[in-house]
mmCIF file with all atom_site columns, all heavy atoms in Angstrom:
data_model
loop_
_atom_site.group_PDB
_atom_site.id
_atom_site.type_symbol
_atom_site.label_atom_id
_atom_site.label_alt_id
_atom_site.label_comp_id
_atom_site.label_asym_id
_atom_site.label_entity_id
_atom_site.label_seq_id
_atom_site.pdbx_PDB_ins_code
_atom_site.Cartn_x
_atom_site.Cartn_y
_atom_site.Cartn_z
_atom_site.occupancy
_atom_site.B_iso_or_equiv
_atom_site.pdbx_formal_charge
_atom_site.auth_seq_id
_atom_site.auth_comp_id
_atom_site.auth_asym_id
_atom_site.auth_atom_id
_atom_site.pdbx_PDB_model_num
ATOM 1   N N   . LEU E 1 180 ? 79.980 12.095 -10.820 1.00 0.00 ? 379 LEU E N   1
ATOM 2   C CA  . LEU E 1 180 ? 79.425 13.460 -10.828 1.00 0.00 ? 379 LEU E CA  1
ATOM 3   C C   . LEU E 1 180 ? 79.095 13.878 -12.249 1.00 0.00 ? 379 LEU E C   1
ATOM 4   O O   . LEU E 1 180 ? 78.128 14.511 -12.432 1.00 0.00 ? 379 LEU E O   1
ATOM 5   C CB  . LEU E 1 180 ? 80.496 14.337 -10.230 1.00 0.00 ? 379 LEU E CB  1
ATOM 6   C CG  . LEU E 1 180 ? 80.726 14.228 -8.646  1.00 0.00 ? 379 LEU E CG  1
ATOM 7   C CD1 . LEU E 1 180 ? 81.699 15.282 -8.216  1.00 0.00 ? 379 LEU E CD1 1
ATOM 8   C CD2 . LEU E 1 180 ? 79.430 14.247 -7.884  1.00 0.00 ? 379 LEU E CD2 1
ATOM 9   N N   . SER E 1 181 ? 80.034 13.483 -13.201 1.00 0.00 ? 380 SER E N   1
ATOM 10  C CA  . SER E 1 181 ? 79.753 13.765 -14.622 1.00 0.00 ? 380 SER E CA  1
ATOM 11  C C   . SER E 1 181 ? 78.419 13.112 -15.065 1.00 0.00 ? 380 SER E C   1
ATOM 12  O O   . SER E 1 181 ? 77.647 13.775 -15.741 1.00 0.00 ? 380 SER E O   1
ATOM 13  C CB  . SER E 1 181 ? 80.884 13.372 -15.472 1.00 0.00 ? 380 SER E CB  1
ATOM 14  O OG  . SER E 1 181 ? 82.082 13.986 -15.146 1.00 0.00 ? 380 SER E OG  1
ATOM 15  N N   . ALA E 1 182 ? 78.263 11.846 -14.655 1.00 0.00 ? 381 ALA E N   1
ATOM 16  C CA  . ALA E 1 182 ? 77.052 11.121 -15.030 1.00 0.00 ? 381 ALA E CA  1
ATOM 17  C C   . ALA E 1 182 ? 75.837 11.794 -14.366 1.00 0.00 ? 381 ALA E C   1
ATOM 18  O O   . ALA E 1 182 ? 74.743 11.940 -14.962 1.00 0.00 ? 381 ALA E O   1
ATOM 19  C CB  . ALA E 1 182 ? 77.142 9.684  -14.606 1.00 0.00 ? 381 ALA E CB  1
ATOM 20  N N   . PHE E 1 183 ? 75.936 12.273 -13.059 1.00 0.00 ? 382 PHE E N   1
ATOM 21  C CA  . PHE E 1 183 ? 74.800 12.892 -12.451 1.00 0.00 ? 382 PHE E CA  1
ATOM 22  C C   . PHE E 1 183 ? 74.498 14.171 -13.240 1.00 0.00 ? 382 PHE E C   1
ATOM 23  O O   . PHE E 1 183 ? 73.311 14.428 -13.458 1.00 0.00 ? 382 PHE E O   1
ATOM 24  C CB  . PHE E 1 183 ? 75.211 13.160 -11.001 1.00 0.00 ? 382 PHE E CB  1
ATOM 25  C CG  . PHE E 1 183 ? 74.366 14.109 -10.250 1.00 0.00 ? 382 PHE E CG  1
ATOM 26  C CD1 . PHE E 1 183 ? 73.205 13.681 -9.731  1.00 0.00 ? 382 PHE E CD1 1
ATOM 27  C CD2 . PHE E 1 183 ? 74.681 15.441 -10.126 1.00 0.00 ? 382 PHE E CD2 1
ATOM 28  C CE1 . PHE E 1 183 ? 72.339 14.493 -8.961  1.00 0.00 ? 382 PHE E CE1 1
ATOM 29  C CE2 . PHE E 1 183 ? 73.886 16.332 -9.510  1.00 0.00 ? 382 PHE E CE2 1
ATOM 30  C CZ  . PHE E 1 183 ? 72.617 15.851 -8.885  1.00 0.00 ? 382 PHE E CZ  1
ATOM 31  N N   . LEU E 1 184 ? 75.513 14.931 -13.510 1.00 0.00 ? 383 LEU E N   1
ATOM 32  C CA  . LEU E 1 184 ? 75.260 16.208 -14.219 1.00 0.00 ? 383 LEU E CA  1
ATOM 33  C C   . LEU E 1 184 ? 74.511 15.991 -15.493 1.00 0.00 ? 383 LEU E C   1
ATOM 34  O O   . LEU E 1 184 ? 73.546 16.750 -15.816 1.00 0.00 ? 383 LEU E O   1
ATOM 35  C CB  . LEU E 1 184 ? 76.581 16.967 -14.409 1.00 0.00 ? 383 LEU E CB  1
ATOM 36  C CG  . LEU E 1 184 ? 76.408 18.322 -15.159 1.00 0.00 ? 383 LEU E CG  1
ATOM 37  C CD1 . LEU E 1 184 ? 75.515 19.306 -14.392 1.00 0.00 ? 383 LEU E CD1 1
ATOM 38  C CD2 . LEU E 1 184 ? 77.836 19.008 -15.247 1.00 0.00 ? 383 LEU E CD2 1
ATOM 39  N N   . ALA E 1 185 ? 74.936 15.023 -16.253 1.00 0.00 ? 384 ALA E N   1
ATOM 40  C CA  . ALA E 1 185 ? 74.367 14.719 -17.558 1.00 0.00 ? 384 ALA E CA  1
ATOM 41  C C   . ALA E 1 185 ? 72.844 14.297 -17.346 1.00 0.00 ? 384 ALA E C   1
ATOM 42  O O   . ALA E 1 185 ? 71.938 14.780 -18.112 1.00 0.00 ? 384 ALA E O   1
ATOM 43  C CB  . ALA E 1 185 ? 75.116 13.606 -18.348 1.00 0.00 ? 384 ALA E CB  1
ATOM 44  N N   . ARG E 1 186 ? 72.655 13.491 -16.278 1.00 0.00 ? 385 ARG E N   1
ATOM 45  C CA  . ARG E 1 186 ? 71.295 13.020 -16.004 1.00 0.00 ? 385 ARG E CA  1
ATOM 46  C C   . ARG E 1 186 ? 70.316 14.208 -15.556 1.00 0.00 ? 385 ARG E C   1
ATOM 47  O O   . ARG E 1 186 ? 69.267 14.312 -16.125 1.00 0.00 ? 385 ARG E O   1
ATOM 48  C CB  . ARG E 1 186 ? 71.421 12.034 -14.854 1.00 0.00 ? 385 ARG E CB  1
ATOM 49  C CG  . ARG E 1 186 ? 70.251 11.093 -14.651 1.00 0.00 ? 385 ARG E CG  1
ATOM 50  C CD  . ARG E 1 186 ? 70.675 9.865  -13.852 1.00 0.00 ? 385 ARG E CD  1
ATOM 51  N NE  . ARG E 1 186 ? 71.219 10.093 -12.541 1.00 0.00 ? 385 ARG E NE  1
ATOM 52  C CZ  . ARG E 1 186 ? 72.458 9.754  -12.205 1.00 0.00 ? 385 ARG E CZ  1
ATOM 53  N NH1 . ARG E 1 186 ? 73.295 9.226  -13.070 1.00 0.00 ? 385 ARG E NH1 1
ATOM 54  N NH2 . ARG E 1 186 ? 72.894 10.049 -10.910 1.00 0.00 ? 385 ARG E NH2 1
ATOM 55  N N   . ILE E 1 187 ? 70.822 15.046 -14.762 1.00 0.00 ? 386 ILE E N   1
ATOM 56  C CA  . ILE E 1 187 ? 70.050 16.221 -14.354 1.00 0.00 ? 386 ILE E CA  1
ATOM 57  C C   . ILE E 1 187 ? 69.836 17.233 -15.526 1.00 0.00 ? 386 ILE E C   1
ATOM 58  O O   . ILE E 1 187 ? 68.724 17.686 -15.713 1.00 0.00 ? 386 ILE E O   1
ATOM 59  C CB  . ILE E 1 187 ? 70.726 16.898 -13.176 1.00 0.00 ? 386 ILE E CB  1
ATOM 60  C CG1 . ILE E 1 187 ? 70.925 15.978 -11.959 1.00 0.00 ? 386 ILE E CG1 1
ATOM 61  C CG2 . ILE E 1 187 ? 69.882 18.141 -12.696 1.00 0.00 ? 386 ILE E CG2 1
ATOM 62  C CD1 . ILE E 1 187 ? 69.649 15.269 -11.472 1.00 0.00 ? 386 ILE E CD1 1
ATOM 63  N N   . GLN E 1 188 ? 70.898 17.427 -16.291 1.00 0.00 ? 387 GLN E N   1
ATOM 64  C CA  . GLN E 1 188 ? 70.753 18.330 -17.471 1.00 0.00 ? 387 GLN E CA  1
ATOM 65  C C   . GLN E 1 188 ? 69.847 17.803 -18.513 1.00 0.00 ? 387 GLN E C   1
ATOM 66  O O   . GLN E 1 188 ? 69.265 18.559 -19.315 1.00 0.00 ? 387 GLN E O   1
ATOM 67  C CB  . GLN E 1 188 ? 72.073 18.579 -18.085 1.00 0.00 ? 387 GLN E CB  1
ATOM 68  C CG  . GLN E 1 188 ? 72.933 19.669 -17.366 1.00 0.00 ? 387 GLN E CG  1
ATOM 69  C CD  . GLN E 1 188 ? 74.194 19.913 -18.216 1.00 0.00 ? 387 GLN E CD  1
ATOM 70  O OE1 . GLN E 1 188 ? 75.211 19.256 -18.153 1.00 0.00 ? 387 GLN E OE1 1
ATOM 71  N NE2 . GLN E 1 188 ? 74.136 20.976 -18.988 1.00 0.00 ? 387 GLN E NE2 1
ATOM 72  N N   . ALA E 1 189 ? 69.528 16.499 -18.497 1.00 0.00 ? 388 ALA E N   1
ATOM 73  C CA  . ALA E 1 189 ? 68.669 15.947 -19.448 1.00 0.00 ? 388 ALA E CA  1
ATOM 74  C C   . ALA E 1 189 ? 67.196 16.146 -19.214 1.00 0.00 ? 388 ALA E C   1
ATOM 75  O O   . ALA E 1 189 ? 66.354 15.936 -19.965 1.00 0.00 ? 388 ALA E O   1
ATOM 76  C CB  . ALA E 1 189 ? 69.041 14.397 -19.627 1.00 0.00 ? 388 ALA E CB  1
ATOM 77  N N   . ARG E 1 190 ? 66.973 16.625 -17.859 1.00 0.00 ? 389 ARG E N   1
ATOM 78  C CA  . ARG E 1 190 ? 65.523 16.898 -17.550 1.00 0.00 ? 389 ARG E CA  1
ATOM 79  C C   . ARG E 1 190 ? 65.082 18.103 -18.359 1.00 0.00 ? 389 ARG E C   1
ATOM 80  O O   . ARG E 1 190 ? 65.787 19.148 -18.373 1.00 0.00 ? 389 ARG E O   1
ATOM 81  C CB  . ARG E 1 190 ? 65.394 17.172 -16.048 1.00 0.00 ? 389 ARG E CB  1
ATOM 82  C CG  . ARG E 1 190 ? 65.822 16.023 -15.190 1.00 0.00 ? 389 ARG E CG  1
ATOM 83  C CD  . ARG E 1 190 ? 65.784 16.432 -13.651 1.00 0.00 ? 389 ARG E CD  1
ATOM 84  N NE  . ARG E 1 190 ? 64.466 16.622 -13.233 1.00 0.00 ? 389 ARG E NE  1
ATOM 85  C CZ  . ARG E 1 190 ? 63.637 15.763 -12.796 1.00 0.00 ? 389 ARG E CZ  1
ATOM 86  N NH1 . ARG E 1 190 ? 63.953 14.467 -12.780 1.00 0.00 ? 389 ARG E NH1 1
ATOM 87  N NH2 . ARG E 1 190 ? 62.392 16.079 -12.385 1.00 0.00 ? 389 ARG E NH2 1
ATOM 88  N N   . PRO E 1 191 ? 63.891 17.963 -18.983 1.00 0.00 ? 390 PRO E N   1
ATOM 89  C CA  . PRO E 1 191 ? 63.533 19.127 -19.822 1.00 0.00 ? 390 PRO E CA  1
ATOM 90  C C   . PRO E 1 191 ? 63.495 20.424 -19.161 1.00 0.00 ? 390 PRO E C   1
ATOM 91  O O   . PRO E 1 191 ? 63.948 21.481 -19.692 1.00 0.00 ? 390 PRO E O   1
ATOM 92  C CB  . PRO E 1 191 ? 62.073 18.668 -20.313 1.00 0.00 ? 390 PRO E CB  1
ATOM 93  C CG  . PRO E 1 191 ? 62.099 17.198 -20.095 1.00 0.00 ? 390 PRO E CG  1
ATOM 94  C CD  . PRO E 1 191 ? 63.012 16.858 -19.058 1.00 0.00 ? 390 PRO E CD  1
ATOM 95  N N   . GLN E 1 192 ? 62.971 20.545 -17.858 1.00 0.00 ? 391 GLN E N   1
ATOM 96  C CA  . GLN E 1 192 ? 62.872 21.817 -17.297 1.00 0.00 ? 391 GLN E CA  1
ATOM 97  C C   . GLN E 1 192 ? 64.356 22.383 -16.915 1.00 0.00 ? 391 GLN E C   1
ATOM 98  O O   . GLN E 1 192 ? 64.489 23.600 -16.967 1.00 0.00 ? 391 GLN E O   1
ATOM 99  C CB  . GLN E 1 192 ? 62.025 21.750 -15.959 1.00 0.00 ? 391 GLN E CB  1
ATOM 100 C CG  . GLN E 1 192 ? 60.537 21.500 -16.284 1.00 0.00 ? 391 GLN E CG  1
ATOM 101 C CD  . GLN E 1 192 ? 59.987 22.455 -17.350 1.00 0.00 ? 391 GLN E CD  1
ATOM 102 O OE1 . GLN E 1 192 ? 60.236 23.627 -17.307 1.00 0.00 ? 391 GLN E OE1 1
ATOM 103 N NE2 . GLN E 1 192 ? 59.099 21.919 -18.192 1.00 0.00 ? 391 GLN E NE2 1
#
Side-chain angles (χ1 to χ4, degrees):
L379 294 183
S380 302
F382 168 81
L383 178 57
R385 202 159 55 244
I386 300 303
Q387 277 188 276
R389 296 176 68 84
Q391 294 306 324

